[in-house]
Amino acid sequence: MEVFCSLSWTHSISPRLHIPHSFSVVETNRFRVICSAAQSQKANQMTVSVTGATGFIGTRLVQRLHADNHNVCVLTRSKSKAETIFPVKNFPGIVIAEEAGWKDCIEGSNAVVNLAGMPISTRWSPEIKKEIKESRIRVTSKVVDLINSSPQGVRPTVLVSATAVGYYGTSETQVFNENSPSGNDYLAEVCREWEGTALKVDKDVRLALIRIGVVLGKDGGALAKMIPLFMMFAGGPLGSGQQWFSWIHLDDIVNLIYEALSNPSYKGVINGTAPNPVRLSEMCNQLGNVLGRPSWLLVPDFALKAVLGEGASVVLEGQKVVPAKAKELGFPFKYPYVKDALKSILS
C-alpha cells in the first residue's frame, strides 16, 4: 500500500500494475481516500513502553493500545507473568522486556507510561511500607535515567507517570485540586518523593503526572477488596462513612492516560478522579442498590484494621479531590457519577 500511495495517478504508472485506463473518477478518489487513511494511521501510530503493565490499570491500557494498533513494549520484572497476561496469540507484536532490555525498548519509544509500584491496599508492616515507597521510587528513577540517557534522536518525547491522591493527605472538609498543598502523612510523603523522582526527567520531555484516585473496575482494584467485607457486614459503610471517596472508573483513567500520551495540552499535574466524589456512606448505598443488598450496618474500624492493619487508613480516611485540570482540558468522563460506574461494572 505504501508503494501505491507514493505513486502519482497517471498513465505513466508501470504497466506491470495493470491499471485499467477506464478507471472512473469515483474509483480513483476511493483509491486516494484509502491511501490517505493508511498514511494517516501510520503517522498517528505510537510506540509506547509501559511499566506496571501487568497491574489493574496497566493491563487495560496495554489492551487498549494494542487494539488501536500502537506498538507496545511491556517493561516487566517477570517475563513469565507478562506472557501469561499477554499471550502472543492474542497480542501479536507486543514486546515483553525484563530489566536488561528496558533500555532498548525506551530508546525505540515515542512515549513511556510509568505505573509500577507495590499495591497499597494491603496490611502494612514496616517492611511493606518501605517497599511501597521504594518500589515506586526505584522504577521511576530507572525509567527517568533511561529516558535522560537516550540519544536525542531516539529519546521518548512524553512521560506519563502515575502518582496518587494520597499526595493531599486526608480531610473530611477540604476540597483538593491540582494546586492544593501536600499533606503530612505517610502516603503524602510517598507521593511527594514519587513525583519528585519523575520531575527529574529532561525538560524537553513532556511530563504528565496523574494523581490517581480509587479505581473502580471489574475483577480487581478497590471493589474486589470492598465487596467481601460489604457482604459480610450486611452492606454497610466502612468506618464512619463520612470520609470522602475520590474514585474513577477504570475506563476513564485508561482514557485519561491514553489522551495524555498524544495531546500536548496534557502536562504537569492532572487529578485522575471522577468529577463527583462521594462520601463513603453514599458509595456503599449505591453499591448496596446495585448488588440488591441492604446498606445499614457499619463495618467497624477494628474489622478493617484486622485485615489491613495500618493500611486501613486508605479506606478509613479519605480526601475530596476534584479533577479541575481534566475538566479545563475538556476531558470527556464516560462515568461522572458513581451510580452509573457501579452499574456498568457489576450489572
Side-chain angles (χ1 to χ4, degrees):
M1 180 61 77
E2 286 176 66
V3 175
F4 288 175
C5 292
S6 65
L7 297 170
S8 60
W9 192 259
T10 69
H11 295 312
S12 63
I13 247 174
S14 167
R16 286 177 298 145
L17 293 175
H18 300 295
I19 305 296
H21 289 252
S22 58
F23 247 50
S24 70
V25 172
V26 171
E27 288 169 315
T28 304
N29 286 341
R30 187 182 298 129
F31 182 86
R32 285 183 179 136
V33 168
I34 291 168
C35 289
S36 175
Q39 286 177 327
S40 174
Q41 183 180 18
K42 190 161 183 65
N44 292 330
Q45 190 180 56
M46 297 182 288
T47 298
V48 183
S49 288
V50 185
T51 73
T54 59
F56 187 46
I57 300 171
T59 299
R60 183 67 67 88
L61 176 65
V62 170
Q63 289 168 349
R64 168 85 194 276
L65 288 165
H66 183 260
D68 286 355
N69 296 311
H70 297 295
N71 302 311
V72 182
C73 293
V74 171
L75 307 183
T76 183
R77 288 190 297 167
S78 174
K79 192 169 185 178
S80 58
K81 180 181 178 183
E83 286 172 342
T84 301
I85 294 171
F86 306 113
V88 69
K89 69 179 184 352
N90 298 332
F91 295 90
I94 280 186
V95 175
I96 296 175
E98 290 189 310
E99 285 198 50
W102 287 18
K103 180 178 185 288
D104 290 340
C105 278
I106 285 176
E107 288 186 0
S109 295
N110 307 106
V112 180
V113 179
N114 177 39
L115 298 170
M118 182 181 187
I120 61 170
S121 52
T122 185
R123 175 176 268 281
W124 294 354
S125 63
E127 294 76 21
I128 294 291
K129 286 177 74 173
K130 185 179 178 188
E131 182 59 19
I132 283 171
K133 183 195 284 191
E134 289 187 355
S135 63
R136 286 160 172 77
I137 309 302
R138 183 173 60 243
V139 174
T140 305
S141 182
K142 184 176 179 72
V143 165
V144 166
D145 287 348
L146 289 171
I147 292 173
N148 289 350
S149 62
S150 297
Q152 192 66 42
V154 293
R155 180 180 294 162
T157 56
V158 183
L159 171 61
V160 180
S161 199
T163 169
V165 295
Y167 174 91
Y168 301 111
T170 62
S171 174
E172 286 190 7
T173 56
Q174 284 180 272
V175 180
F176 301 100
N177 63 29
E178 287 85 352
N179 295 319
S180 300
S182 184
N184 53 18
D185 58 12
Y186 163 69
L187 286 180
E189 177 191 315
V190 170
C191 293
R192 281 196 304 274
E193 291 192 32
W194 196 6
E195 292 182 16
T197 306
L199 284 163
K200 293 175 183 173
V201 77
D202 190 279
K203 297 306 173 203
D204 292 337
V205 176
R206 177 168 60 83
L207 173 64
L209 287 165
I210 314 291
R211 288 183 185 150
I212 301 174
V214 181
V215 180
L216 304 180
K218 279 188 173 72
D219 307 321
L223 277 184
K225 288 187 164 61
M226 288 173 70
I227 288 173
L229 279 171
F230 190 90
M231 302 296 272
M232 192 188 311
F233 286 90
L238 310 177
S240 72
Q242 289 305 296
Q243 64 272 49
W244 283 99
F245 191 76
S246 293
W247 60 278
I248 188 166
H249 191 287
L250 179 59
D251 289 354
D252 278 331
I253 192 61
V254 167
N255 290 344
L256 185 68
I257 292 167
Y258 191 96
E259 185 68 16
L261 286 170
S262 58
N263 188 329
S265 299
Y266 284 64
K267 56 189 173 185
V269 174
I270 302 169
N271 286 337
T273 59
N276 298 289
V278 293
R279 292 198 187 267
L280 200 58
S281 54
E282 183 184 341
M283 163 72 185
C284 290
N285 281 332
Q286 298 290 358
L287 188 53
N289 290 337
V290 173
L291 292 173
R293 298 274 304 182
S295 178
W296 55 271
L297 182 63
L298 290 175
V299 178
D301 290 12
F302 74 80
L304 274 175
K305 286 175 178 169
V307 175
L308 297 176
E310 193 183 347
S313 64
V314 175
V315 178
L316 292 173
E317 302 166 24
Q319 57 282 106
K320 185 179 184 180
V321 179
V322 293
K325 186 80 177 285
K327 289 173 77 175
E328 178 190 315
L329 289 164
F331 177 76
F333 286 92
K334 189 176 176 184
Y335 299 102
Y337 296 99
V338 75
K339 179 181 178 180
D340 298 326
L342 291 171
K343 276 185 181 173
S344 80
I345 294 163
L346 298 169
S347 59

